[in-house]
Amino acid sequence: MRHVPAAFLAAATAIPLVSFFHIHMDFSEEISEDSKQLPSSAPLRLRHLIFEYSGPAVRSICDFLLHPRNPAYTQQIERLAIRIDSQSASYDERILTACAQTLRHLIINPGDLITIPQLPFVREVEIKVFVGDSRRLPSFFPSNFSQIASSLPLVEVITLVFVVEPLYPEVEWADQGPLPILGPSFMNRVQLLHLRRVRCKLLERNGFGSMSALLDRFVAAMESKMPGLLGTGNSGVHLGCPIVMSTVF
């Protein structure tokens, strides 16, 4: 949607779940101070906020939601889904900071190196990773994973969603070593102390590849990247390969 008035966004906060995708605010005239205030006729019920787009559209919406007169807009959000990239990184960080005291579930799609604030009450985090047809993790992903782990002290469940392109024949996944913290010394960790489950989901776009070959290589790759979780069933931490995971196609 284009040329969306501020009043439309204000009304949206009366709905528990709101997803913004390609929403562009109207910049033809200045937003009046009155329109930036919380409308008394609309009860604030926003609990789940989704940003599926980045760039100028996100910046304009963030300017509205984070306006000094609107602190309540983001202070009751319990679930946030957000795409972070270099174009809107500072806005993404501001949104996360504003939600920090109420946020419990974070869904994050990082397109670059990210910085997120301390989120002390998040219990579940889902991280989307684009692997593509190279079957190689982005070079920045290990750093992102470490940063997320250090910012979420109470996280209990981590879900990694690997997005791949179909290949025929299927190839081996690149061996880039174990993920930070989830390596062989996992049980001696000083972070992720509350972690009880890691889920790995596989999302193949278009779905025309060899499913059995893809799954075989996926399982081997996940075991290689998270060796510290193997055999930790007694500790309550499980490697979420297809044995115990939800696989998405």
Side-chain angles (χ1 to χ4, degrees), residues 10 41 48 113 122 159 173 222 231 246:
S41 60
H48 185 177
L113 279 171
V122 169
T159 301
W173 286 50
M222 294 303 99
S246 300

Side-chain angles (χ1 to χ4, degrees), residues 7 10-15 37-45 73:
T13 62
I15 302 171
Q37 298 182 44
L38 184 66
S40 58
S41 60
L44 187 67
R45 297 192 305 213
Y73 279 129

Side-chain angles (χ1 to χ4, degrees), residues 92-171:
D92 301 327
E93 185 175 349
R94 289 171 59 199
I95 284 286
L96 287 165
T97 300
C99 301
Q101 297 304 308
T102 57
L103 199 61
R104 299 295 185 270
H105 191 143
L106 175 63
I107 303 169
I108 188 169
N109 182 0
D112 206 335
L113 279 171
I114 61 173
T115 300
I116 63 175
Q118 284 288 308
L119 302 173
F121 304 112
V122 169
R123 300 303 177 98
E124 293 191 37
V125 61
E126 179 176 312
I127 310 167
K128 184 172 288 187
V129 188
F130 183 75
V131 178
D133 56 11
S134 68
R135 302 301 187 254
R136 175 180 292 272
L137 291 176
S139 59
F140 54 77
F141 180 71
S143 296
N144 282 349
F145 187 85
S146 294
Q147 206 272 126
I148 291 170
S150 65
S151 297
L152 277 55
L154 293 184
V155 68
E156 298 176 356
V157 179
I158 296 176
T159 301
L160 301 176
V161 181
F162 297 90
V163 183
V164 301
E165 299 287 355
L167 288 179
Y168 189 82
E170 185 59 47
V171 298

